[in-house]
PDB file of all heavy atoms in Angstrom:
ATOM      1  N   LEU T  77      -5.852 -11.361  -2.931  1.00 96.00           N
ATOM      2  CA  LEU T  77      -4.753 -10.410  -3.047  1.00 96.00           C
ATOM      3  C   LEU T  77      -3.497 -10.948  -2.368  1.00 96.00           C
ATOM      4  O   LEU T  77      -2.407 -10.906  -2.941  1.00 96.00           O
ATOM      5  CB  LEU T  77      -5.143  -9.059  -2.444  1.00 96.00           C
ATOM      6  CG  LEU T  77      -4.035  -8.004  -2.436  1.00 96.00           C
ATOM      7  CD1 LEU T  77      -3.633  -7.624  -3.856  1.00 96.00           C
ATOM      8  CD2 LEU T  77      -4.490  -6.778  -1.655  1.00 96.00           C
ATOM      9  N   GLY T  91      11.534  -5.319  -5.970  1.00 86.00           N
ATOM     10  CA  GLY T  91      10.344  -5.490  -6.795  1.00 86.00           C
ATOM     11  C   GLY T  91       9.562  -6.729  -6.409  1.00 86.00           C
ATOM     12  O   GLY T  91       9.766  -7.321  -5.350  1.00 86.00           O
ATOM     13  N   LEU T  93       8.624 -10.463  -6.380  1.00 90.00           N
ATOM     14  CA  LEU T  93       9.288 -11.758  -6.532  1.00 90.00           C
ATOM     15  C   LEU T  93       8.203 -12.826  -6.471  1.00 90.00           C
ATOM     16  O   LEU T  93       7.662 -13.093  -5.383  1.00 90.00           O
ATOM     17  CB  LEU T  93      10.319 -11.986  -5.428  1.00 90.00           C
ATOM     18  CG  LEU T  93      11.451 -10.958  -5.350  1.00 90.00           C
ATOM     19  CD1 LEU T  93      12.298 -11.186  -4.109  1.00 90.00           C
ATOM     20  CD2 LEU T  93      12.301 -11.017  -6.608  1.00 90.00           C
TER      21      LEU T  93
END
Side-chain angles (χ1 to χ4, degrees):
L77 177 64
L93 300 172

